[in-house]
């Protein structure tokens, strides 16, 4: 299949083209029945003479070209309606009846210059379909967001992500205003579905099945929380397919290079160090523990808190003693074979570096964030009690 993408350098175009390339090059194997032979990229700076060749050979057209922020309102009609007319005429001249997709907007319902130009483009496509017996797919996109969207242009999310990532102020006139938003990856999934004749349609119009409605105030709150993560280490809830997850990915794409990394605070003493890596809102925290040669750490127990210990470098002996039966369970573990060991509530436990020369490095996960006002951690040595069982 040969695919023509107009507006290929725009926000949607760039994301779509990269996904098409992944399929074409065999990097994305999730669509085995979709075979991409060529991708024709057309934009405002492309040689217009190439359009004729592209319209002659293509098997599908994504018309994403359009004008959002012209210098003069007259450019709305020429950029949105005018180019659509040129494109369809080229297809007719080459007797190419391949399917054609049109990127329209929910603003086509509104009485403004942009909306009027989009509406006229829609009418043109529907007329073209009727007169030439050609499949057209007209999408009225809501507000779109995601990576590579230009800030300070026509997307509040792109602008706010850019500003907050760069420690700039944002302006909120009315935090209660609700937007209907669609994530760029969901748009691309639908457009690829269209290539496989699996598009979603309601009446005359096609649509993206996954959208999100959210207020400006909530968007601002989320973005400010994301910006605090390198300081407090708390990763907020980002459920699968949620707006929060998609917004966080979008926010990160606007980080300046110097913010790609951030320092972690280590608690260091003669025994080694302990460093918190990541905290989650509802699923505990991750830490890394470094023990010097021959050092024993831990020697405490918890009522409700529990943990995983995973030795990633060195060799250790982990001991756990039941406080009431005094039975001691031992595990010898090594970075040569990664294993996760439960630290059970009601068992005092330790970890001993068995090496005389090398540091022991252990990744630890606890089921809750450490709360200094309720640590649920009580000193109690493991040894000198009970019968040992080595596992």
């Amino acid at each position: 299949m040969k695919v023509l993408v107009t507006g290929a350098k725009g926000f949607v175009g760039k994301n779509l083209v990269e996904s098409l390339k992944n399929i074409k090059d065999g990097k994305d194997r999730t669509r085995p029945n979709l075979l991409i032979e060529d991708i024709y990229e057309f934009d405002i700076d492309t040689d217009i003479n190439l359009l004729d060749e592209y319209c002659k050979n293509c098997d599908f057209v994504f018309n994403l070209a359009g004008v959002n922020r012209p210098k003069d309102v007259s450019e709305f009609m020429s950029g949105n309606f005018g180019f659509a007319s040129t494109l369809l005429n080229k297809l007719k001249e080459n007797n190419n009846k391949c399917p054609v997709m049109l990127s329209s907007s929910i603003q086509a319902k509104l009485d403004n210059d942009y909306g009027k130009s989009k509406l006229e483009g829609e009418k043109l496509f529907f007329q073209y379909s009727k007169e030439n017996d050609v499949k057209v797919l007209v999408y009225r996109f809501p507000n779109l967001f995601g990576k590579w969207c230009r800030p300070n242009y026509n997307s509040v999310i792109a602008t706010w992500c850019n500003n907050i990532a760069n420690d700039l102020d944002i302006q909120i006139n009315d935090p209660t205003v609700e937007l209907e938003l669609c994530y760029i990856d969901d748009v691309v999934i639908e457009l690829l579905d269209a290539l496989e004749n699996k598009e979603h349609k309601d009446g005359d119009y096609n649509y993206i099945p996954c959208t999100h409605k959210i207020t400006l105030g909530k968007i601002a709150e989320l973005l400010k929380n994301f910006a605090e993560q390198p300081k407090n280490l708390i990763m907020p809830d980002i459920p699968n397919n949620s707006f929060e997850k998609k917004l966080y990915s979008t926010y990160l794409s606007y980080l300046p290079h110097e913010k790609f990394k951030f320092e972690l605070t280590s608690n260091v003493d003669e025994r080694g160090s302990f460093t918190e890596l990541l905290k989650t809102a509802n699923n505990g925290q991750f830490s890394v523990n470094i023990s010097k040669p021959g050092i024993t750490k831990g020697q405490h127990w918890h009522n409700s808190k529990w943990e995983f210990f995973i030795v990633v470098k060195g060799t250790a002996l982990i001991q756990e003693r039941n406080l009431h039966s005094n039975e001691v369970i031992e595990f010898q573990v090594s970075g040569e074979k990664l294993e996760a060991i439960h630290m059970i509530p009601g068992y005092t436990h330790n970890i001993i570096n068995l090496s005389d020369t090398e540091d022991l490095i252990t990744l630890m996960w606890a089921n809750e964030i450490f709360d200094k006002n309720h640590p649920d951690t009580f000193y109690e040595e493991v040894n000198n009690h009970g019968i040992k069982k080595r596992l």
Side-chain angles (χ1 to χ4, degrees):
M1 178 179 286
K2 299 176 181 179
V3 181
L4 168 58
V5 181
T6 71
K9 293 182 180 178
F11 169 43
V12 178
K14 286 187 287 188
N15 281 275
L16 176 60
V17 166
E18 292 305 321
S19 292
L20 289 171
K21 287 179 179 177
N22 284 338
I23 295 172
K24 178 179 180 291
D25 297 340
K27 299 174 184 177
D28 181 352
R29 299 185 178 90
T30 61
R31 296 177 182 266
N33 297 322
L34 185 54
L35 304 177
I36 305 298
E37 182 182 352
D38 282 309
I39 305 165
Y40 302 137
E41 300 178 47
F42 190 89
D43 211 280
I44 193 170
D45 57 354
T46 307
D47 184 350
I48 191 64
N49 294 315
L50 289 174
L51 187 61
D52 187 70
E53 176 188 344
Y54 294 164
C55 287
K56 178 181 179 181
N57 298 321
C58 64
D59 301 303
F60 197 105
V61 179
F62 290 106
N63 182 34
L64 306 175
V67 175
N68 295 312
R69 295 282 294 270
K71 295 179 180 178
D72 186 88
V73 292
S74 63
E75 295 179 39
F76 278 132
M77 196 60 71
S78 62
N80 294 325
F81 174 81
F83 179 77
S85 180
T86 299
L87 172 67
L88 297 181
N89 284 334
K90 287 290 185 183
L91 290 169
K92 283 193 289 186
E93 289 172 8
N94 287 282
N95 195 31
N96 188 339
K97 294 192 175 185
C98 72
V100 188
M101 171 268 178
L102 173 66
S103 169
S104 188
S105 167
I106 56 174
Q107 291 201 43
K109 302 176 184 179
L110 304 179
D111 186 23
N112 58 43
D113 291 302
Y114 176 67
K116 290 176 182 177
S117 69
K118 285 295 188 181
L119 182 60
E120 290 303 313
E122 293 177 0
K123 292 178 180 178
L124 184 67
F125 265 63
F126 289 134
Q127 181 181 357
Y128 171 77
S129 174
K130 184 178 180 180
E131 292 179 352
N132 298 277
D133 191 27
V134 171
K135 179 180 179 179
V136 299
L137 303 91
V138 177
Y139 287 87
R140 283 184 169 176
F141 289 146
N143 298 282
L144 306 182
F145 71 102
K147 66 182 183 300
W148 304 336
C149 187
R150 189 194 314 180
N152 303 307
Y153 187 59
N154 68 338
S155 167
V156 65
I157 287 189
T159 300
W160 285 6
C161 284
N162 177 74
N163 284 17
I164 291 176
N166 288 279
D167 302 314
L168 302 174
D169 291 334
I170 62 172
Q171 181 178 348
I172 311 176
N173 294 324
D174 184 354
T176 66
V177 170
E178 185 178 70
L179 299 180
E180 182 178 9
L181 295 157
C182 188
Y183 184 52
I184 189 60
D185 284 13
D186 294 323
V187 174
V188 170
I189 288 171
E190 171 65 19
L191 298 184
L192 295 178
D193 282 346
L195 283 180
E196 297 188 286
N197 295 309
K198 297 187 296 185
E199 68 275 3
H200 292 82
K201 191 169 186 178
D202 183 10
D204 292 333
Y205 294 92
N206 296 90
Y207 66 95
I208 312 297
C210 183
T211 63
H212 306 272
K213 291 184 178 181
I214 191 163
T215 64
L216 291 175
K218 183 61 176 179
I219 294 170
E221 176 188 335
L222 287 169
L223 290 175
K224 290 175 181 177
N225 286 342
F226 299 160
E228 289 297 309
Q229 193 279 328
K231 303 173 187 175
N232 59 29
L233 299 182
I234 297 176
M235 182 63 62
D237 282 341
I238 47 174
N240 187 42
N241 206 38
S242 66
F243 174 77
E244 290 81 0
K245 181 179 179 181
K246 298 167 185 178
L247 183 65
Y248 208 151
S249 295
T250 302
Y251 166 75
L252 291 175
S253 72
Y254 291 86
L255 283 180
H257 295 164
E258 59 270 20
K259 287 190 177 182
F260 280 23
K261 71 172 183 177
F262 57 92
E263 293 185 9
L264 298 169
T265 300
S266 296
N267 298 304
V268 182
D269 59 24
E270 68 281 358
R271 303 175 303 158
S273 65
F274 178 80
T275 307
E276 293 177 322
L277 301 179
L278 179 69
K279 302 177 182 181
T280 68
N282 295 300
N283 294 289
Q285 70 175 55
F286 294 88
S287 308
V288 63
N289 185 71
I290 299 178
S291 300
K292 295 295 184 182
I295 290 296
T296 298
K297 283 191 174 184
Q299 305 285 48
H300 59 237
W301 65 279
H302 315 290
N303 279 308
S304 297
K305 183 187 298 184
W306 59 278
E307 302 159 299
F308 284 129
F309 284 9
I310 305 169
V311 170
V312 295
K313 183 178 183 296
T315 302
L317 180 66
I318 295 174
Q319 299 176 312
E320 300 185 57
R321 175 170 61 84
N322 186 304
L323 289 175
H324 285 277
S325 70
N326 281 330
E327 182 180 32
V328 177
I329 312 300
E330 293 187 337
F331 306 89
Q332 185 164 324
V333 289
S334 166
E336 298 298 318
K337 180 183 179 182
L338 297 184
E339 299 174 293
I341 311 298
H342 283 93
M343 299 300 110
I344 307 298
Y347 281 72
T348 187
H349 52 269
N350 63 25
I351 182 167
I352 305 168
N353 185 351
L354 296 179
S355 173
D356 294 327
T357 58
E358 294 185 350
D359 287 350
L360 174 71
I361 302 176
T362 308
L363 180 64
M364 298 178 171
W365 174 83
N367 71 319
E368 61 186 44
I369 294 176
F370 179 75
D371 180 358
K372 65 180 180 181
N373 295 316
H374 184 68
D376 188 16
T377 301
F378 310 99
Y379 179 79
E380 176 84 14
E381 291 190 4
V382 174
N383 57 6
N384 299 325
H385 292 85
I387 302 172
K388 295 181 180 180
K389 179 187 293 184
R390 179 70 62 89
L391 297 177

